[in-house]
Amino acid sequence: MAWFGYNTRNDVPMIISAPRVHSRPAFACVGNKRNLPFCRTNLPISHRVNDLIGRLTLAEKIRLLVNNAAPVPRLGIAGYEWWSEALHGVSNWGPGTRFGGQFPGATSFPQVISTAASFNASLWEEIGRVVSDEARAMYNGGIAGLTYWSPNVNIFRDPRWGRGQETPGEDPVLAGKYAASYVRGLQQAQGNRLKVAACCKHYTAYDLDNWGGIDRFHFNAKVSKHDLEDTYNVPFKACVVEGKVASVMCSYNQVNGVPTCADPNLLRDTIRGQWGLNGYIVSDCDSVGVFYDTQHFTSTPGEAAAAAIKAGLDLDCGPFLAVHTEEAISGGKLTEAQVNSALANTITVQMRLAHQQLALEAARQGIVLLKNSGPALPLSPAHFHNVAVIGPNADVTATMIGNYAGIPCAYTTPLQGIGRYTKTIHQPGCTNIDCTDNSLFGAAVGAARNADATVLVMGLDQSIEAEARDRVSLLLPGRQQELVTQVAMASRGPTILVLMCGGPVDVSFAQFHPRIAGIIWAGYPGQAGGAAIADAIFGKLNPGGKLPVTWYPQDFVTKVPMTDMAMRPNPSRGYPGRTYRFYKGPVVYPFGHGLTYTTFTHSLAHAPPTILSLSLSLSSSSLHHRTNSTVQTHAIKVTHAKCDDLSFDFHVDVSNTGDRDGSHTLLILSAPPAGRWAPQKRLVAFHKVHVAAKSTARVAVPIHVCKDLSVVDNYGIHRIPIGDHSLHIGDLTHSLSLRADPLGL
């Protein structure tokens, strides 16, 4: 860590060395606090931010106002170092980044002034992307942060300026274009999410360090409004408006007698008000201390802290706000609400930073628990001291990411994930996914005999299912089924089957096997898949996934040629139809199947109507003819209905009656009246809700009749069937009768 202190002879800030700390995630929830609302990534960021701030004490808030933000152990919040640099490559100048181990260095691109000479905006953005990629890799390796205080977009006003080399030059348009391009490359924003957070500095009119006996800590830049708007502020405006930068850094100097970090016109009114910054404003390192100690802008430290925060500063690089904000509040110069506003801006950026945790979270939410006899799952590490981990997919890496994938920075295999909970005994069982011989079966059976529990990780890979490679069978490849059966019969403890595959597999043998206690479908879970699988097995995760496809039995492929594109069944030729909407044959597991470690019940909180009248929107001249047609076909064309008023909310109370918190997916299915066009049922809405143990959450799901209750006829026309419809959520059914009202014009 590095703090700025002062040399008492000349009031020039100097670095006071302190040990660097291991880089922490930009926003990390740890321990048993991950279920608190502010940790739930499925909630809106604003909701999470407000929830967290509402839980913090004033002392905790104050320690989050500085670059080395302190942890909050009671809330499971890790500390974070905000200060990292990436001017023309990832740098270790700031305390948030260090080199070593697998990352002895990073690409160092030409200095900015040289790169600016290319006048190539796409080059600048591409450099930003590469720097961002390397920064992300180092972050994943635990030696860098996600907030980079770059680029420097000051105007190179005077050729003598020592830092002019860091800038894109003297032209404000060129500097602005560079700024926006490099920021876009660094941040690689997707919606509101950022790959890393950039920062444009040093705002504003900063282009003197130490010349002629005048240094930047004492300098008052006297700038006309014309020059400020036409020159000095142009690159910063481009950063915010065009580049959508996540942060702006205010400078040491004064502008027209006011320190930039204490000027509400420059910060609050211009950066945030006029330009619409969606991010935080940070001081140059110890700028707040400089304008109190060196520039003597305020009479007390508390007044300085108040002036900075009230002006719009959100984060202090340095200790000043951590030390003096309490004084500002107790002295009536600042309110806690104003501190909350500053924290909201920094915490929001932290939560916008998608990171490796997101990959793990995505894998977790995709885990589907297919079977849990007993229940055997979850396993307790306290009771299962060693686990046999067996199968051709037990220790794979590339298999987990499927096809059309990049190269992850790191993997967690199922074996590694399970090894974080208990001792493991690993045997592959098969030499590869084809599993064409049983030469390794004996060792696998022996491992299962000597372990407290057994996890078999079986399934498919890209040699079986991939682009230009269709399957010919729904069974596990080769002798995998034989391996599973032998191991299960020999296992001393419960046997859990984990399936890593994209398409469905007929595992009927395991579904009904008394020695196979649990079955988990992991799909191709990505780089963190092994951690997610282990979290599910040992109960850190309560699985909440649902199958997005029907799992058919093997004999389905003997009845349905791939070339037959018909969806609906045709009994006359023995064609069973496709998908859960039309297929009428047996299944291994149905669409939407998925168990949890708790139990959920549903009840109607506010019943929708049981009778709805459909008014027609036809002209009176054609009403009689159209009405006869409608009555005869028992369906109204959607284009003939007054759809605007045909909607209602389906209010459902979801109760978690078990002892574990869990996420539940509401699947709202509609079944129309019997008819020649209608599917058996179809999904019309879905909603995922997290419900704490022994509690209830209310969900309102909008249903629009014309969209959700219509069907498509043989001519591709959307129609609304007249008659009795039903809406299904699990075992809950609500009947709704639709009636035609041809006179309701």
Side-chain angles (χ1 to χ4, degrees):
M1 201 66 60
W3 284 116
F4 277 86
Y6 284 92
N7 182 316
T8 56
R9 290 188 303 167
N10 54 18
D11 279 347
V12 175
M14 61 180 182
I15 295 289
I16 298 176
S17 296
R20 291 173 181 264
V21 297
H22 183 80
S23 178
R24 293 282 190 155
F27 184 82
C29 297
V30 298
N32 61 358
K33 307 299 182 181
R34 289 191 176 99
N35 288 324
L36 293 175
F38 63 83
C39 288
R40 297 181 194 162
T41 56
N42 62 316
L43 295 178
I45 288 177
S46 59
H47 180 95
R48 296 171 60 203
V49 169
N50 291 335
D51 179 76
L52 173 57
I53 291 174
R55 296 173 187 272
L56 294 169
T57 66
L58 177 59
E60 290 166 342
K61 293 174 183 178
I62 289 172
R63 282 297 290 123
L64 296 177
L65 293 172
V66 292
N67 64 288
N68 65 333
V72 186
R74 70 180 186 86
L75 294 179
I77 301 298
Y80 180 68
E81 174 55 66
W82 287 83
W83 181 10
S84 291
E85 300 278 359
L87 181 66
H88 55 104
V90 179
S91 167
N92 62 347
W93 184 260
T97 303
R98 58 186 172 84
F99 293 115
Q102 298 180 46
F103 302 95
T107 304
S108 182
F109 290 96
Q111 184 57 284
V112 176
I113 194 65
S114 300
T115 306
S118 71
F119 282 78
N120 186 340
S122 62
L123 172 65
W124 305 330
E125 184 166 343
E126 184 59 26
I127 290 173
R129 287 179 177 274
V130 172
V131 173
S132 178
D133 291 345
E134 294 186 1
R136 249 346 244 230
M138 293 179 67
Y139 163 77
N140 291 341
I143 60 174
L146 290 175
T147 46
Y148 288 84
W149 293 348
S150 301
N152 179 344
V153 297
N154 292 117
I155 297 298
F156 196 171
R157 175 186 59 87
D158 190 288
R160 293 168 290 188
W161 188 29
R163 300 189 70 177
Q165 62 182 302
E166 302 175 20
T167 76
E170 65 186 29
D171 183 77
V173 173
L174 173 64
K177 189 69 173 177
Y178 176 90
S181 300
Y182 190 68
V183 166
R184 281 194 294 263
L186 276 178
Q187 297 191 156
Q188 297 185 50
Q190 294 185 355
N192 197 37
R193 295 288 182 178
L194 306 172
K195 188 170 184 179
V196 302
C199 174
C200 288
K201 62 184 184 184
H202 314 78
Y203 179 79
T204 181
Y206 169 69
D207 51 19
L208 181 151
D209 274 65
N210 192 351
W211 178 83
I214 300 173
D215 63 47
R216 57 184 177 170
F217 311 114
H218 297 82
F219 182 54
N220 175 25
K222 298 177 181 179
V223 185
S224 69
K225 291 182 179 179
H226 186 181
D227 287 339
L228 197 64
E229 180 68 17
D230 190 53
T231 302
Y232 295 108
N233 284 358
V234 171
F236 294 95
K237 183 177 181 180
C239 263
V240 176
V241 176
E242 299 172 28
K244 309 298 183 186
V245 75
S247 176
V248 174
M249 176 184 286
C250 53
S251 54
Y252 290 114
N253 57 288
Q254 296 183 351
V255 172
N256 298 325
V258 182
T260 64
C261 293
D263 192 333
N265 178 58
L266 289 177
L267 305 187
R268 185 189 64 212
D269 297 344
T270 302
I271 296 177
R272 197 170 296 283
Q274 295 179 28
W275 300 344
L277 173 70
N278 180 18
Y280 69 98
I281 300 173
V282 60
S283 74
D284 205 343
C285 291
D286 219 31
S287 287
V288 183
V290 166
F291 77 66
Y292 169 69
D293 290 311
T294 304
Q295 298 174 2
H296 309 296
F297 183 68
T298 62
S299 300
T300 67
E303 289 175 348
I309 293 174
K310 290 164 72 174
L313 188 73
D314 304 309
L315 186 70
D316 180 20
C317 178
F320 197 93
L321 291 186
V323 176
H324 299 295
T325 299
E326 170 61 32
E327 174 189 337
I329 293 175
S330 62
K333 304 294 183 182
L334 186 70
T335 67
E336 186 170 352
Q338 290 167 322
V339 171
N340 292 348
S341 296
L343 286 178
N345 293 324
T346 55
I347 294 171
T348 295
V349 169
Q350 287 181 294
M351 291 183 178
R352 289 172 63 198
L353 285 161
H355 50 74
Q356 193 172 25
Q357 182 67 24
L358 186 60
L360 176 57
E361 179 64 21
R364 284 172 169 164
Q365 292 198 24
I367 295 287
V368 180
L369 180 61
L370 298 175
K371 175 184 178 181
N372 191 17
S373 298
L377 290 171
L379 303 181
S380 168
H383 297 118
F384 297 92
H385 302 291
N386 58 80
V387 173
V389 185
I390 295 168
N393 279 340
D395 197 28
V396 294
T397 53
T399 298
M400 294 195 300
I401 62 174
N403 65 354
Y404 280 84
I407 302 175
C409 296
Y411 292 98
T412 302
T413 71
L415 177 64
Q416 292 168 335
I418 294 169
R420 294 174 178 175
Y421 286 92
T422 188
K423 294 179 180 178
T424 59
I425 308 169
H426 176 227
Q427 289 293 334
C430 303
T431 55
N432 54 40
I433 205 72
D434 291 334
C435 200
T436 55
D437 67 76
N438 64 356
S439 60
L440 301 180
F441 282 19
V445 168
R449 240 184 227 118
N450 293 307
D452 296 331
T454 298
V455 176
L456 285 146
V457 191
M458 315 300 286
L460 313 175
D461 67 11
Q462 299 307 298
S463 70
I464 304 295
E465 55 176 355
E467 185 175 7
R469 187 175 292 119
D470 296 325
R471 285 192 287 165
V472 296
S473 170
L474 299 183
L475 300 176
L476 288 171
R479 304 179 74 169
Q480 283 194 37
Q481 178 174 329
E482 183 183 345
L483 172 64
V484 172
T485 302
Q486 289 189 24
V487 166
M489 293 303 295
S491 179
R492 191 175 74 195
T495 298
I496 310 302
L497 173 61
V498 176
L499 298 168
M500 196 179 292
C501 55
V505 177
D506 183 350
V507 288
S508 302
F509 78 96
Q511 182 182 23
F512 301 107
H513 199 297
R515 298 282 296 171
I516 298 175
I519 305 176
I520 289 173
W521 180 61
Y524 292 126
Q527 66 182 47
I533 290 168
D535 287 349
I537 290 172
F538 289 95
K540 186 177 182 180
L541 162 71
N542 187 352
K546 305 284 187 184
L547 284 180
V549 293
T550 300
W551 282 37
Y552 299 99
Q554 168 66 12
D555 66 358
F556 179 84
V557 301
T558 66
K559 298 177 181 178
V560 182
M562 286 189 69
T563 53
D564 194 325
M565 302 298 290
M567 296 297 295
R568 291 164 175 79
N570 188 333
S572 65
R573 59 186 180 93
Y575 186 72
R578 296 180 183 272
T579 78
Y580 78 97
R581 296 190 301 147
F582 300 106
Y583 175 70
K584 294 184 177 180
V587 300
V588 180
Y589 289 110
F591 171 90
H593 176 72
L595 308 175
T596 73
Y597 296 151
T598 187
T599 52
F600 294 99
T601 61
H602 314 101
S603 60
L604 274 179
H606 173 69
T610 56
I611 300 175
L612 275 180
S613 293
L614 306 182
S615 298
L616 304 183
S617 59
L618 304 174
S619 65
S620 57
S621 62
S622 61
L623 176 60
H624 179 73
H625 173 73
R626 298 288 188 179
T627 300
N628 289 340
S629 174
T630 296
V631 171
Q632 291 173 359
T633 60
H634 303 292
I636 297 173
K637 287 184 179 180
V638 170
T639 55
H640 292 168
K642 288 184 175 180
C643 291
D644 291 345
D645 299 325
L646 294 175
S647 62
F648 55 88
D649 283 343
F650 202 79
H651 294 263
V652 180
D653 280 345
V654 181
S655 297
N656 182 345
T657 58
D659 297 323
R660 289 175 176 266
D661 296 352
S663 292
H664 180 61
T665 301
L666 286 172
L667 301 178
I668 296 89
L669 297 157
S670 168
R676 62 181 183 273
W677 314 304
Q680 301 176 94
K681 57 186 176 181
R682 67 186 182 105
L683 186 68
V684 296
F686 58 91
H687 187 92
K688 193 152 195 170
V689 59
H690 186 88
V691 188
K694 306 298 184 184
S695 64
T696 299
R698 180 164 294 179
V699 177
V701 181
I703 300 294
H704 196 284
V705 170
C706 291
K707 179 173 72 74
D708 297 326
L709 302 186
S710 62
V711 298
V712 179
D713 69 13
N714 292 338
Y715 301 97
I717 297 172
H718 287 262
R719 295 180 180 272
I720 306 169
I722 300 301
D724 294 332
H725 295 248
S726 57
L727 296 170
H728 304 264
I729 300 179
D731 56 359
L732 179 67
T733 300
H734 176 75
S735 296
L736 174 65
S737 179
L738 296 183
R739 299 177 180 177
D741 181 14
L743 300 179
L745 299 176

